[in-house]
Structures are given as C-alpha cells and as structure tokens.
Amino acid sequence: MATSGTRPRAVGRPVKRVEDGRLLAGQGRFVDDLHLPRMVHAAFVRSPHAHARVRHVSVSRALALPGVVAVLTADEAARLCHPWRGILTDYVGMKTALQYPLALDKVRYVGEPVVAVAAADRYVAEDACDLVEVEYETLPAVVDPEAAMRPGTPLIHEELGDNVIYRGGFDKGEVDQAFARAHRVYRDRFVVGRQTCVALEPRSLVAAYEPREGSLSVWISSQVPHMMQAIFARILGLPEQKIRVVAPDVGGSFGLKIHCYSDDVAACLLAMRLGRPVKWIADRLESFATDIHCREHLVDVEAAVSADGTVLGLRSRAITGVGPWSCYPRSSVVEGNQVIRLLTGPYRIRNYKAELNVVAQNKALMSQYRAVGHPIASMVMESMLDRAARDLQLDPVEIRRRNLVRRDELPYTTAFGYVFESGSYLESLELALDKGGYARWREEQARGRREGRHLGIGLSCFIELTAPGSFYGSGGAPISAQDSATVRVEPGGTVTALIGVTNQGQGAHTAFAQIIADQLGVSVEDVNVMSGDTALVPYGGGTSGSRGAVLGAGASILACRAVAEKVRRIAGHLLEAAPDDVELRDGKVSVRGAPDRSLTLADIGFRVYYQSDKLPRDLEPSLEATAHYTPARPITWANGVHMVVVEVDVETGLVKILRYVTVEDCGPMINPALVAEQVRGAVVQGIGSTLYEHVVYDAEGQLLTRTLMDYLVPGAAEMPDIEVHHLETPSPFTLGGFKGIAEAGTAGAPGAILNAVNDALAPFGVRLTRQPITPDLIRSALRQAPALNRDGRR
Amino acid sequence: MAERHVVRLTVNGESVERLVEPRKTLADFLRQDVELTGTHLGCEHGVCGACTVLLDGDPVRSCLLFAVQADGARVGTVEGLAHDGLHPIQEAFHDHFALQCGYCTPGMLMTVHDLLQRSPSPTREEIRKALAGNICRCTGYHAIVDAVEAAAARLRAAPPREAAR
Ligand code: FES
Ligand code: FES
C-alpha cells in the first residue's frame, strides 16, 4: 500500500492522536465557543402537544421585550424558504409530507418549533419565548406504530391519505418449502424501544449572512458540511458557491448531526433577515425532544430449523415508527430496511421472506443512529439461534458453527442479495471463544447455579456494512458517494492535507496523517490534516456508515501517489535521474541505490515554489494534488463476534456485566488503538441500547424522558472493561484493503447481551424479547414465570 | 432586565471582577464573561459533569451554581490545570487514548484531579465510581480508567507544582 521505496512505518501502529493537545488544554473550538461581533441568540417556542391545530399565534408581547431583535413566525418562515421532503426515490412508493422550518397549521410532535426568537442573549430569548401566545386545539395523538397503520386512525398529514410512509419487502429462495421441510418452526415478536443519540455536545449552529454579497457562513456541529451546504442552498434559495459551512470541533455525533433540522433552518432565516450573526445551541431538553430518535421497531419473526440446527428459512415482518415526517435528506426508511435486509447476518440462510412497514406517528423524527438497523437485525437472529439451540439441545456455539458462512464459500451472496467478498466468520467465533474463556465460563455458570448465582453467557456473530458508496445519491439525495483529499508539500517540505471526511472524535486526522506520512516518506508530525470546512477542503461526504477511514484513506493514498509522482519528476530532473528511480523515504528524495544523490523535500519545495522559472517548461511547478475516491464495490463488509458474561440479580433485576470480549475484523488496521477505542465506545452505546436507553412517550404522545435522569446513558460505574481482539482480513476492493469499524460494537452488543441475560434466566423458564432490558422487565418476567412460583429455581 | 451585581473571584489564580445578572450561571459566566470556554455544557441540569470546575478546591457543577454564588471564591478550570504544556493527568489521557471528541474531557480532568488529590492509588473500581457523575459518550470509559491509573502512578512518582485549585 505504500509508494514504492517507502516502508509503512506509521500505518499499523498505535500512533498517539494529533487531535489531543488543544482538547486536553480546554482550547477546543466547538461551535458554542465561537463569538462574532453583533451576534444574537436564538430560542424557540415549541409545541407542548403531540398533535394539535395551531389556532392563533400572538408575538407582540415578545417583540416588545427589551433585547429582542426579531421574532419569526411560521408563515413568514415558509415564505422565506423552500420546504423540503425526505424521500429517497429508490424506495418505490414511499411518501411523506413537505416540511417547513416552523409549524404552520398543525403541530405534530412535542417540541416541534412554532416560533423563533432572536435576542441579545439566550436568557432574554427564552424570556421572550414565554411571552409568545399560541392557541392550540388538541387532536388525538397517534403514538403506537401498529395502531398508526389501522384504518380509522387519525391522520397526521391529511393530504397523504394514511399514516404509512413506506411498505417494502422481498421474497427470496423457496421460503414456503423451507418451512414445510422444517423440523421445528420458532416464532417470536421482538419489541425494540425508541432511543436517541445523546452526543454530549448538543446540536449547535452560528449563521452569519452578508447581504451585499448574498453569502451565508454557517458554523455547525455536523458530520457533513458539504451536505449541509447543498441542502441550505436548496432550502434557502442561495447558490452553493455563496454558502460556506464549517464544522469545527464536533462533540460526538453518532448519526445525530447529519440531518436537516427545522430549527437550524429557522436560525439561518433569522440571520438572513437580520443581517447579524445568530447563534443557536440546543439545550438538553430540546435535544431529547427534537434530535432524531432511532430504533422503535416491532419485528415478528419465524425461523424454520432442521433437526441438526440448520436454519432452513426465515420470515420477518417489521414495523418501524418514525415520527411525523421522513427525515430529510437521508429519509427514515433506511433503518427499517436494514433490519430486514441484514437479518440473516453472517449465516447461510437461503430462503427468506421479509416485509417492512414504516409508519408515521406523533413523536420526534426518527432516522439513522450508529449501526443503523444492524443491532436489531443481529439481536433478532442471535436470539432465534439461541432459542433453537436450547430446544434442540445444542450448544449455542455449535449451532453457530453449523450455520456461519465458511471462508471457502466466499464470495457469498445473501438471500437479500448482498455479496460478502471477504470475512472471517468462523475464525472470529473461535478466537472469541478462546480469548473469552467460553468453556471456563460454562463451568463457572454451572457452579454458580448450584450456589444460587445466575450467570449467563451470550454470543453474537455479526456483519457490518461499511463504506457504502452511492447509498443515498442513488435515491436523489445530495450526499456525496465519493470522498476527496488535497495533499500539498509546503515549501519547507512538510505536508498539509485537506480531507473531505470529517472528524467527530474518531481520530480521523491522526489516521490520515499516518497514511500520508507513509506514502510520502515523512513523519506523522510533519503532516497537518484539516477537515470540516467547505471553503477549504475538496468536496466530501463527511462521515456516515463507517465510511470515513475507508474513503478518506483511499483519497489520501491517491492524492499522495499523484504528489509523489510530481516529486519524482522534479527530483529526477534535479538529480539527473529517471523519475522511476527516485524514491521518497525518511523525508529524503534520493536516487535508488545511490543514497548520496539525494535532496530533501524542502530543497524541492524551494525550487518549485520560489524558483519555478528555472524548471523546464514541461514540468508543472506543483507539489500538490487533489484526488477523489469511490471504492470499487458499493459496500465493504466487516465482521466480528462478541462474547459477554452477565450475572443477573433475580431479586433486583439488575444485570451486571462480568466479562466483555470482542473480536473485530475491519481489515488491515491503520491504527489499532483508534480501532479499539471505536469498538469500546460503540460497545458501550450498544450496552446502553440494550439495558438502559429508552425514549418514553405516554399514550397522549407526551415526552416523559426529558433529562439525563430519565433517559439513562451508560456511566463509568456500570460499564465493564472491554477486551478487543483483532483479525485482519483485507477487502479485495478497497485501497489498502481497509474496512470500516465505527459501528461494529453497537451492532454486536444487543444480541450478545440479550442472549446472556436469557441464558441466565433460562432455569426460570424466562426468555425476553424486548429492549431495553430494564430491571422491571426482568422482575415482572420472573414473577410470571411458572417455575419461579414453585421454588425460585428449576 | 434584572439588576446586575458585582462578582469578584479568582479564576485559575487571576483576580476577576465583572458585573453580572443574578441569574447567570457560573458556567455561562466562565464561558462568556471570563472567556474561558474549556468548561463545557452537556446538560445544564447537573448530570453529565462536563461543566465540572473546582470551587475552593472542591469539584462542583458550574451549571448548577450562579456566578454570584461564587463571589469571593477560588475557581479552577481546565485552562488552569497546567502552567505550560500538559498536567500529568492530561498527559496520561493522551497516552491512553482517553478522549475522542474531547467534549467531556475538561470535566473528566477536573473530577480526576480531585480524585487523585484525595486518593492517590485508586483501584479500577474506585476510579469507575469516582467517574460515575461524568458522562462520556465516545470512549466507553475503559481508556479513561486506564489513563487515571497511569496518572495516579505518575503523580505518586512525581507530584507536579499545582496550578488550578
Ligand atoms: S452541564 Fe453541568 S452537569 Fe451537565
Ligand atoms: S470524548 Fe466525547 S464525550 Fe467523552
């Protein structure tokens, strides 16, 4: 993967992060740290109702408050911009209503912005919100996703005729025959609760408009500055070249800061109307009410299994509740689709029929959060395998061995039609069992049971869809499928790199600096990577779908190759050698086999930039190149296995994680420490999903989880140490063989934990199929368990 | 607008005097009036710990205090942890990949600073308990616990000249 003549020295090593110094010193530059002259602050009047008609709005008292500079109503906002619609055209038949910055005729979820205020500071802006009078006529709320589909249910958007946003599915192989042949058929319903992302830095934006130029600058906590530029252009009616979007330091995102939010648009409109910079920072309550939510699925599944544990066929029917609109521009149907498409996991299941309903409700909008669909698909499949294994008296390991796709079956095409080109499904399992001490824990479990301790062991074997190419563009969304890098050797011989991929904490700048250092034969410290500014970096797609490392590395490698070629040609001229004989190594440019004939990059830089008149006319005076990269295949598949041991306290219902071991295969690792930390962070989010995190609405659509005391995220005290092991199976289709890693931990955790809890509870005849697995859920299941009523254990 | 009050305090050893509204939180005061933006806000309701600063040496949530309540106090923020370069705790965070986005980090550092003053050799379990009031959404905590262990060892070997307190 290195340019000829350089040895990889940085790639593959746990190089320390180049991002850390400022952040550790409290010198981060997050959006809220930005202060511009004459800047004012936005706040929003938000709907207290899930569903209501807006009868009357009066803003005069708010306008009269000293310090208030503007109040924006819904009608005015609608006049000032173009509405948007979250459709991806390749989901045939999907429908959703137009969205406006502020609620026009109706409010459709609690927290929906109704009026926007700008004032001298946030305190005054909130005071002014209290003075806005809104009269509502409440309407019955549509909350339950199954109910949303029933005829006669109130309509969230009358003009659409029903509340169904999308209906899809597929029928592959010979499903009915598979079920006819089955030794056993298992049926279950899985219920997955709503969640939300909870990036610690809330959504944040500063917008500044220059009316004479007609130019808008937006500093926004975002994963996707170029996408934001494109959608602001469409919505605000400005040409793209007049919009600059900057994502400075971003305090976590996980799929949160990748969508068009109506309050962001309203804040831009305020800035455009005022000609003054406007700052808008969500508080935590606004985050819970209006950040995208995720998950909320019902999955009915049937598995046809032979006597030896082979899964012959599957049927699934998923319902996903996504809030009043399909989110723009990524839509709200992708997660449900991923649930059904990924359900077969890394297993050889040829016959599979699936159906999906995506329905509207009076709740916050739902869209993609880390690992989109994977955790649910994996949890369902893994749980069904454990159920079959128990029933057939097979070890859970054995049933997996029998069904996992073997290396000699690659490339393997799944029932849905995905192609696994490379992977280590069985190898990962064996490594996890070995490192996790599976056999020892089984003994420990048996011993525990005799002593009244309830240990459970859970496994999950999963795939991770990474580095998707034209995933959204093919549906018409302005989301870049390619990514890009500009690499420049500066006059002094050091390197500047401008990367289209963004950084929300992953350590992307470190990883790209490693790649570039090796490619150009310089040290990591000599490379400065920048990203996140549409005025600075070439066009890119930011981060999503574990694409950053793969596409950013690919683009960096291509740009470095082009720069190295320029260096070789110029050095060849200066050293009187053939360019092909010139190599770049250790900051030097020398003739192969004649190390005394060498120059530094600084020598070359001086000549190219300051004495270019002395170069032959056919040598371009340039040490800079921009490259754009799309992987050869639309998806690169990573894979892994988690093994977890839990202890369940049957009195309190508390689950304690005793051991957590992961094996991840994301191909060759650019930086194993960064990979391990992506895995750990993702696993903990997966643990949060499985055990704690739950957005709760009541039957009227009122949001009950409004603080971090109601919505529990994992804390240090409950989390285990997480052991991370690696396999490195390169992708044949990406530059460097890299695969993505950011979501794998979140994908694998729910299945492993659910299985572990169910394994612990098995002696009571209890099996849970619901998430989050709260202490209440465990206790009430135990209370209803027949075995417990007799003697407390079986 | 409510009447403003004079607040006099020291921040990282420097005297500060400002006129503030009584409702202004200490966090907003530090970020906006003193222009030290290292103290972060993750919840503004006392749960996430991102806003943790030291008030007369004790860790407090600056989102839950008003600036006027800190009148006369000694406030330490992340900016004051090291005179120049990095404090051993900061170094250990760097060495152990104990931050990703860095948003929770200032609060973490202040909490850890306090922990290691009180308890120079904490176990992993004790470290995890001490960090229970600081949410990190990125790291999964394992690396932070590693960093705190390493920092404790480093501080036992060579205590630094303290800046923030
Ligand atoms: S911002 Fe103060 S505790 Fe979260
Ligand atoms: S590093 Fe992002 S919240 Fe802790």
Side-chain angles (χ1 to χ4, degrees):
Chain A
M1 106 195 89
T3 310
S4 65
T6 65
R7 270 165 297 128
R9 285 171 311 168
V11 170
R13 282 183 28 227
V15 170
K16 300 220 187 104
R17 288 166 33 112
V18 301
E19 293 91 344
D20 286 356
R22 280 184 309 112
L23 296 170
L24 285 164
Q27 303 297 322
R29 287 187 290 269
F30 297 91
V31 171
D32 196 18
D33 302 338
L34 183 68
H35 185 84
L36 297 179
R38 302 186 73 236
M39 188 168 80
V40 292
H41 299 258
F44 292 87
V45 177
R46 295 183 178 277
S47 170
H49 303 295
H51 200 189
R53 223 167 277 291
V54 180
R55 282 293 176 213
H56 180 70
V57 177
S58 165
V59 302
S60 49
R61 287 178 61 216
L63 263 175
L65 186 74
V68 171
V69 297
V71 177
L72 184 69
T73 61
D75 289 331
E76 196 186 351
R79 275 198 304 278
L80 290 173
C81 72
H82 304 287
W84 56 95
R85 200 194 297 272
I87 293 279
L88 290 178
T89 52
D90 42 13
Y91 293 111
V92 176
M94 85 169 280
K95 61 181 193 291
T96 191
L98 283 173
Q99 241 190 298
Y100 292 84
L102 300 168
L104 272 171
D105 51 337
K106 290 212 295 187
V107 287
R108 296 180 174 87
Y109 64 98
V110 167
E112 184 176 354
V114 179
V115 172
V117 173
D121 68 29
R122 174 68 183 246
Y123 291 75
V124 176
E126 289 187 14
D127 289 345
C129 288
D130 290 343
L131 297 176
V132 172
E133 291 153 34
V134 187
E135 254 174 60
Y136 296 100
E137 174 194 331
T138 57
L139 299 167
V142 181
V143 177
D144 176 67
E146 272 186 307
M149 294 165 60
R150 273 182 220 127
T153 304
L155 295 180
I156 294 169
H157 298 279
E158 287 79 1
E159 69 274 24
L160 296 180
D162 63 28
N163 293 323
V164 178
I165 284 177
Y166 176 67
R167 243 185 210 124
F170 50 85
D171 187 352
K172 300 293 174 92
E174 299 183 325
V175 178
D176 291 344
Q177 287 92 319
F179 276 80
R181 271 189 294 139
H183 172 67
R184 287 270 203 281
V185 172
Y186 305 101
R187 286 190 187 83
D188 272 307
R189 161 166 278 207
F190 291 82
V191 181
V192 182
R194 253 188 191 234
Q195 274 184 249
T196 188
C197 310
V198 195
L200 202 58
E201 181 211 25
R203 292 192 292 112
S204 311
L205 170 153
V206 171
Y209 183 65
E210 166 44 63
R212 293 147 215 94
E213 289 177 351
S215 65
L216 179 74
S217 299
V218 183
W219 291 262
I220 181 170
S221 185
S222 175
Q223 299 175 231
V224 283
H226 279 105
M227 186 200 92
M228 293 311 297
Q229 179 193 46
I231 68 175
F232 283 144
R234 289 170 179 213
I235 291 172
L236 302 173
L238 296 170
E240 280 165 346
Q241 84 278 11
K242 294 287 190 183
I243 299 180
R244 176 183 181 190
V245 176
V246 185
D249 288 331
V250 174
S253 185
F254 321 115
L256 164 66
K257 299 163 181 175
I258 202 166
H259 310 282
C260 176
Y261 289 94
S262 43
D263 40 25
D264 288 348
V265 174
C268 290
L269 291 177
L270 280 171
M272 290 172 71
R273 206 179 85 179
L274 289 167
R276 290 174 75 165
V278 171
K279 179 183 274 191
W280 146 237
I281 311 287
D283 67 22
R284 191 48 64 186
L285 170 58
E286 288 175 303
S287 302
F288 278 122
T290 68
D291 284 0
I292 57 129
H293 292 173
C294 48
R295 318 305 192 220
E296 186 157 16
H297 304 279
L298 294 170
V299 187
D300 290 304
V301 63
E302 292 174 81
V305 181
S306 71
D308 68 356
T310 306
V311 182
L312 303 171
L314 279 180
R315 293 193 188 109
S316 73
R317 183 168 177 272
I319 302 174
T320 307
V322 299
W325 289 273
S326 169
C327 210
Y328 180 73
R330 280 166 202 264
S331 91
S332 302
V333 304
V334 174
E335 166 131 322
N337 260 288
Q338 300 280 69
V339 170
I340 58 171
R341 291 178 180 182
L342 295 167
L343 204 102
T344 50
Y347 302 105
R348 190 188 312 100
I349 302 172
R350 309 242 178 227
N351 308 299
Y352 176 31
K353 180 178 180 189
E355 184 190 319
L356 170 69
N357 284 284
V358 177
V359 303
Q361 322 150 279
N362 292 117
K363 298 182 182 175
L365 278 72
M366 192 276 245
S367 196
Q368 284 82 309
Y369 161 59
R370 197 175 201 169
V372 194
H374 289 72
I376 296 95
S378 168
M379 179 182 79
V380 169
M381 189 66 225
E382 295 301 316
S383 179
M384 296 311 280
L385 283 174
D386 268 24
R387 179 170 172 195
R390 187 168 298 282
D391 183 52
L392 300 172
Q393 299 183 355
L394 287 170
D395 191 281
V397 172
E398 198 43 46
I399 198 166
R400 286 172 173 76
R401 285 190 185 125
R402 289 180 191 180
N403 287 285
L404 281 169
V405 171
R406 293 186 312 269
R407 207 175 269 249
D408 62 20
E409 293 172 284
L410 299 177
Y412 172 84
T413 305
T414 70
F416 166 70
Y418 287 137
V419 181
F420 301 161
E421 75 294 341
S422 63
S424 55
Y425 313 111
L426 275 155
E427 297 80 352
S428 295
L429 174 62
E430 301 304 337
L431 184 60
L433 298 173
D434 178 41
K435 298 290 184 186
Y438 181 79
R440 279 198 315 284
W441 279 108
R442 282 283 174 225
E443 290 163 21
E444 182 73 24
Q445 179 184 41
R447 194 161 37 244
R449 277 189 184 151
R450 290 193 294 273
E451 295 161 4
R453 290 178 68 200
H454 306 285
L455 269 51
I457 305 167
L459 290 168
S460 76
C461 304
F462 59 90
I463 42 166
E464 185 197 354
L465 181 166
T466 78
S470 167
F471 203 90
Y472 296 103
S474 70
I479 296 170
S480 177
Q482 59 83 47
D483 228 290
S484 56
T486 295
V487 173
R488 172 165 69 236
V489 176
E490 301 289 357
T494 56
V495 180
T496 298
L498 310 170
I499 309 281
V501 167
T502 51
N503 192 10
Q504 299 80 44
Q506 299 90 331
H509 292 182
T510 307
F512 299 142
Q514 289 176 257
I515 301 245
I516 292 163
D518 283 357
Q519 291 288 318
L520 297 179
V522 300
S523 65
V524 170
E525 302 78 74
D526 284 340
V527 182
N528 186 31
V529 177
M530 286 180 268
S531 67
D533 182 345
T534 60
L536 186 69
V537 306
Y539 208 90
T543 55
S544 68
S546 300
R547 75 190 286 281
V550 179
L551 275 84
S556 298
I557 290 170
L558 292 178
C560 285
R561 283 181 185 166
V563 169
E565 185 53 33
K566 292 182 179 192
V567 170
R568 273 196 293 270
R569 287 221 302 273
I570 292 163
H573 161 74
L574 296 174
L575 294 167
E576 297 177 349
D580 284 352
D581 289 338
V582 173
E583 58 185 16
L584 286 72
R585 175 189 283 179
D586 300 330
K588 291 232 166 51
V589 183
S590 47
V591 179
R592 189 169 293 122
D596 50 321
R597 286 168 69 198
S598 81
L599 296 165
T600 63
L601 279 173
D603 296 333
I604 294 172
F606 197 91
R607 181 62 68 103
V608 166
Y609 291 107
Y610 305 139
Q611 301 175 337
S612 50
D613 53 321
K614 295 203 170 69
L615 289 174
R617 300 309 296 167
D618 62 340
L619 277 184
E620 186 194 3
S622 158
L623 295 175
E624 173 171 329
T626 297
H628 299 265
Y629 175 63
T630 304
R633 290 285 168 98
I635 296 169
T636 305
W637 293 95
N639 65 276
V641 171
H642 291 193
M643 187 196 119
V644 57
V645 182
V646 303
E647 178 165 0
V648 179
D649 182 329
V650 294
E651 298 302 320
T652 61
L654 284 170
V655 175
K656 186 171 159 81
I657 298 172
L658 303 181
R659 179 127 174 84
Y660 207 113
V661 176
T662 75
V663 172
E664 304 293 343
D665 189 342
C666 62
M669 290 183 287
I670 301 169
N671 181 326
L674 293 179
V675 168
E677 293 317 312
Q678 280 302 297
V679 171
R680 291 195 172 111
V683 163
V684 163
Q685 288 190 6
I687 296 173
S689 302
T690 319
L691 296 179
Y692 312 114
E693 297 183 37
H694 197 191
V695 171
V696 182
Y697 285 90
D698 72 9
E700 274 75 54
Q702 206 42 257
L703 177 65
L704 302 182
T705 44
R706 295 163 156 249
T707 71
L708 284 167
M709 281 171 291
D710 319 309
Y711 185 92
L712 301 182
V713 298
E718 311 88 60
M719 287 304 102
D721 281 349
I722 295 162
E723 206 172 287
V724 184
H725 300 279
H726 307 287
L727 287 172
E728 295 183 277
T729 310
S731 163
F733 299 119
T734 62
L735 270 179
F738 305 129
K739 305 175 179 182
I741 187 61
E743 299 167 286
T746 307
I753 295 170
L754 179 67
N755 279 348
V757 170
N758 281 335
D759 188 42
L761 297 178
F764 300 96
V766 165
R767 179 165 169 274
L768 305 172
T769 54
R770 193 177 264 274
Q771 172 188 305
I773 311 169
T774 59
D776 265 356
L777 181 70
I778 290 178
R779 283 200 312 266
S780 75
L782 283 170
R783 272 197 301 278
Q784 286 157 27
L788 184 68
N789 294 341
R790 284 200 301 277
D791 56 1
R793 73 182 84 112
R794 193 155 72 179
Chain B
M1 220 171 289
E3 192 190 327
R4 296 179 177 225
H5 295 257
V6 179
V7 174
R8 289 188 196 85
L9 65 174
T10 68
V11 180
N12 303 328
E14 278 181 36
S15 322
V16 169
E17 182 179 320
R18 298 281 190 283
L19 260 183
V20 297
E21 279 190 63
R23 65 176 172 174
K24 185 158 233 171
T25 65
L26 178 59
D28 284 349
F29 173 80
L30 290 169
R31 292 179 49 78
Q32 295 162 11
D33 298 55
V34 193
E35 295 184 294
L36 292 173
T37 53
T39 298
H40 293 157
L41 291 166
C43 71
E44 296 171 273
H45 54 248
V47 181
C48 77
C51 66
T52 305
V53 299
L54 302 179
L55 189 76
D56 292 330
D58 292 328
V60 297
R61 318 240 133 168
S62 59
C63 72
L64 292 185
L65 282 166
F66 295 113
V68 291
Q69 290 175 283
D71 190 31
R74 219 159 18 96
V75 175
T77 72
V78 65
E79 288 93 341
L81 266 185
H83 290 292
D84 43 38
L86 295 177
H87 186 279
I89 301 172
Q90 292 167 316
E91 278 169 6
F93 269 58
H94 178 54
D95 290 347
H96 290 270
F97 294 82
L99 64 156
Q100 289 184 25
C101 76
Y103 200 76
C104 70
T105 309
M108 286 282 177
L109 293 170
M110 301 317 280
T111 301
V112 171
H113 183 274
D114 172 63
L115 167 72
L116 297 183
Q117 298 255 306
R118 290 182 288 110
S119 163
S121 320
T123 63
R124 284 183 86 80
E125 182 98 16
E126 286 163 353
I127 294 167
R128 286 186 176 277
K129 285 223 171 76
L131 296 177
N134 288 74
I135 292 173
C136 175
R137 197 56 171 161
C138 300
T139 63
Y141 304 106
H142 180 129
I144 297 179
V145 179
D146 289 349
V148 178
E149 276 186 318
R154 233 171 271 190
L155 287 169
R156 285 195 304 271
R161 202 157 54 85
E162 281 304 335
R165 250 183 286 162

